[in-house]
Amino acid sequence: KRGCEIDRIVQGVMGVRSNTGQHPGGIVVLPLGEDIYSFTPIQHPANKDIDIITTHFDYHKIEQNLLKLDILGHLDPTVIRMLEDLIPGLDATKIPLDDKNVMSLFMGTDVLGVSPEDLWDNCPLGTLGIPEFGTDFAMGMLIDAKPTEFTDLVRIAGLAHGTDVWLGNAKELILEGTATISTAICTRDDIMTYLIGKGLDSEESFKIMEAVRKGMVAKGRCDKWEEWRADMEAHDVPAWYITSCEKIKYMFPKAHAAAYVMMAWRVAYCKINYPLEYYAAYFSIRVKTFSYEMMCLGRDKCERHLREINEKEKALKQENKKLSDNDAKMYMYLRSVQEMYVRGYEFLPMDLYTSDPFYFKIVDGKLLPPLNTLDGLSDGAETLSLAAKAGEFLSKDDLKTRGKVSMTIIDTMERLGIIKNLPETNQLSIFDMF
């Protein structure tokens, strides 16, 4: 092509991104009969080798014209289903949401029959492994907010999922005594209902809520804020409340927070009343990097690995570095395992013939680890399990051939006592015959 035509094409593609990320569950819905090119170009995400296509523009640019759905996976219903399968007669939907023992789990550890001093790092609450409330950050929020009722937990969940709602905002207001968990802004609905209660027009209250929860006020993109602010002041809305609104960049919906907390509450109920079933479900579904060698060989070994990660973290802090995501997750998982040991429960040794390939089983009051918890075996656990069900392994060669496992894994099994006295091959020595 001529130079001037090339220059024209170059001008047309300047500023176009070469690749984009993708939302794991984002689905854009087109009106019937419309073509995607009427709204946005499309392209493959950063990984060009997959068939998935994404919109070139992010959804903020096209949300006025197209509907976007977030079809997200959620592990908590899977955990609940496994708990119902393990516990005869349990209907999770009938677990009372006003159980005092469950509420106490979010306030201390007594209901588990242990003290904070027994738990690793003097963990002050019993919420390890409880969805939404099991991290140190979430437990810090619980300690600061001092919840006493289910509704307080809903508000805390709203705070945890917002942006600039807790840190530098509600946390300071609560700690200095200006607000409580019941009066601070925690979910987007709080703003509208509070303002209506103060006498503001319901439509105006809704618009204020939308402007605040989208971060338009905090980013200075709301032309009507001064007018609304004057109206709020005229209706005796406290100055701290208005200032809090001006800091918020995103807010969680209350119904969404309530759904999360209901799931967490049901899991917490089982943690208290059905501990073995709870740990079986938690380790099977939520713990993706469970290590038989690190976690199932006794409390002492579990705590030794906790100390090692602790020391590693301290060394990294001196270099202004953080633990890898894998080490940070392993640390949290090990803490839950240590909690289980402290509560008096143990693991059985892995068994090639009775262990499930993927799920923990309860046998004789103990947890039997699945095959996929053995380091390096995760992808081949089902094949090994099927081979074991077909017949007893006669030798290491037989285990390698039928079970499709490497000699490295076989050596690990022998070292850990999972296989004992298994000959190298099926062949008999002539000397063994006499």
Side-chain angles (χ1 to χ4, degrees):
K1 294 185 182 296
R2 292 183 304 160
C4 58
E5 173 63 4
I6 292 173
D7 289 341
R8 187 188 71 82
I9 294 172
V10 168
Q11 292 297 319
V13 297
M14 282 179 64
V16 174
R17 290 176 294 176
S18 60
N19 60 61
T20 64
Q22 68 184 90
H23 189 294
I27 304 293
V28 173
V29 182
L30 288 173
L32 190 63
E34 287 291 341
D35 190 280
I36 186 65
Y37 299 112
S38 300
F39 305 94
T40 173
I42 61 171
Q43 64 190 63
H44 291 283
N47 183 349
K48 305 288 197 309
D49 298 328
I50 60 178
D51 295 331
I52 292 171
I53 55 173
T54 68
T55 60
H56 178 73
F57 299 127
D58 69 72
Y59 83 97
H60 290 296
K61 304 289 194 306
I62 55 178
E63 64 181 344
Q64 298 300 320
N65 302 308
L66 294 176
L67 173 66
K68 182 180 78 82
L69 302 175
D70 292 339
I71 313 296
L72 294 176
H74 200 33
L75 291 178
D76 293 338
T78 309
V79 172
I80 295 290
R81 175 56 191 268
M82 185 172 177
L83 286 167
E84 289 183 331
D85 290 342
L86 289 172
I87 303 168
L90 177 69
D91 181 349
T93 61
K94 295 181 179 176
I95 291 173
L97 298 179
D98 59 353
D99 189 301
K100 298 296 183 185
N101 284 335
V102 177
M103 190 65 232
S104 70
L105 193 74
F106 299 88
M107 302 160 68
T109 64
D110 290 348
V111 71
L112 298 179
V114 299
S115 68
E117 291 74 23
D118 297 324
L119 301 176
W120 187 258
D121 204 21
N122 295 320
C123 183
L125 304 179
T127 57
L128 282 173
I130 303 300
E132 304 299 316
F133 299 99
T135 64
D136 286 329
F137 177 77
M139 284 190 272
M141 291 182 70
L142 290 167
I143 292 167
D144 289 337
K146 298 179 174 56
T148 57
E149 299 176 353
F150 179 89
T151 184
D152 294 337
L153 299 179
V154 174
R155 299 177 72 81
I156 290 171
L159 289 168
H161 288 275
T163 303
D164 291 345
V165 185
W166 173 248
L167 294 177
N169 200 339
K171 179 179 180 178
E172 280 65 32
L173 292 171
I174 291 172
L175 291 179
E176 69 190 24
T178 302
T180 66
I181 188 61
S182 300
T183 60
I185 304 172
C186 302
T187 61
R188 61 180 70 165
D189 313 54
D190 295 338
I191 298 172
M192 184 179 72
T193 54
Y194 177 79
L195 295 179
I196 291 174
K198 281 289 189 178
L200 273 78
D201 176 72
S202 57
E203 184 176 352
E204 181 183 358
S205 299
F206 173 78
K207 289 179 178 178
I208 292 172
M209 174 190 74
E210 286 293 282
V212 171
R213 68 101 173 168
K214 291 179 179 179
M216 294 169 64
V217 176
K219 296 171 185 175
R221 296 177 185 170
C222 181
D223 296 336
K224 300 201 70 175
W225 180 244
E226 291 305 321
E227 177 186 333
W228 289 340
R229 181 189 178 102
D231 200 14
M232 286 191 281
E233 289 172 347
H235 286 82
D236 297 324
V237 175
W240 67 263
Y241 195 97
I242 297 172
T243 302
S244 183
C245 288
E246 293 172 337
K247 295 179 179 179
I248 293 167
K249 291 192 175 68
Y250 170 74
M251 293 208 78
F252 212 51
K254 192 168 190 175
H256 203 162
Y260 278 4
V261 175
M262 287 170 70
M263 286 292 184
W265 187 276
R266 290 161 180 162
V267 173
Y269 176 88
C270 294
K271 182 175 182 177
I272 296 167
N273 297 288
Y274 304 99
L276 274 176
E277 290 82 357
Y278 158 76
Y279 287 113
Y282 175 66
F283 294 148
S284 297
I285 306 298
R286 281 219 162 259
V287 181
K288 297 303 182 184
T289 53
F290 198 99
S291 169
Y292 176 79
E293 190 168 353
M294 291 176 70
M295 300 175 175
C296 298
L297 303 183
R299 177 177 171 180
D300 289 344
K301 192 156 191 178
C302 172
E303 291 182 348
R304 178 163 63 82
H305 287 295
L306 279 166
R307 276 192 296 273
E308 288 173 357
I309 297 177
N310 234 341
E311 290 165 4
K312 184 177 181 180
E313 183 177 27
K314 289 176 184 176
L316 287 170
K317 277 184 178 178
Q318 292 179 348
E319 302 174 13
N320 292 321
K321 296 179 181 178
K322 294 182 180 180
L323 282 174
S324 67
D325 286 344
N326 189 57
D327 281 341
K329 288 178 182 177
M330 184 62 73
Y331 187 69
M332 290 302 298
Y333 299 153
L334 282 164
R335 287 173 66 184
S336 285
V337 172
Q338 192 263 355
E339 176 192 74
M340 188 195 87
Y341 280 126
V342 170
R343 294 181 71 187
Y345 302 104
E346 297 177 351
F347 295 100
L348 285 169
M350 184 184 292
D351 188 284
L352 285 180
Y353 305 101
T354 57
S355 286
D356 187 89
F358 306 113
Y359 298 103
F360 284 79
K361 294 163 69 174
I362 300 172
V363 179
D364 299 330
K366 296 181 180 180
L367 286 188
L368 178 64
L371 298 174
N372 71 339
T373 60
L374 192 66
D375 291 345
L377 188 59
S378 58
D379 294 335
E382 187 169 19
T383 301
L384 177 58
S385 179
L386 290 171
K389 285 183 175 123
E392 187 173 341
F393 296 110
L394 302 177
S395 66
K396 292 179 183 177
D397 279 349
D398 186 28
L399 176 57
K400 180 180 179 181
T401 303
R402 288 199 298 121
K404 302 287 191 290
V405 293
S406 67
M407 283 306 300
T408 302
I409 292 176
I410 291 173
D411 291 342
T412 300
M413 288 179 178
E414 188 168 43
R415 176 171 55 81
L416 297 176
I418 299 170
I419 55 174
K420 297 176 182 177
N421 304 318
L422 204 60
E424 295 293 330
T425 68
N426 292 355
Q427 297 177 346
L428 288 173
S429 166
I430 190 169
F431 299 107
D432 294 333
M433 299 173 64
F434 301 98

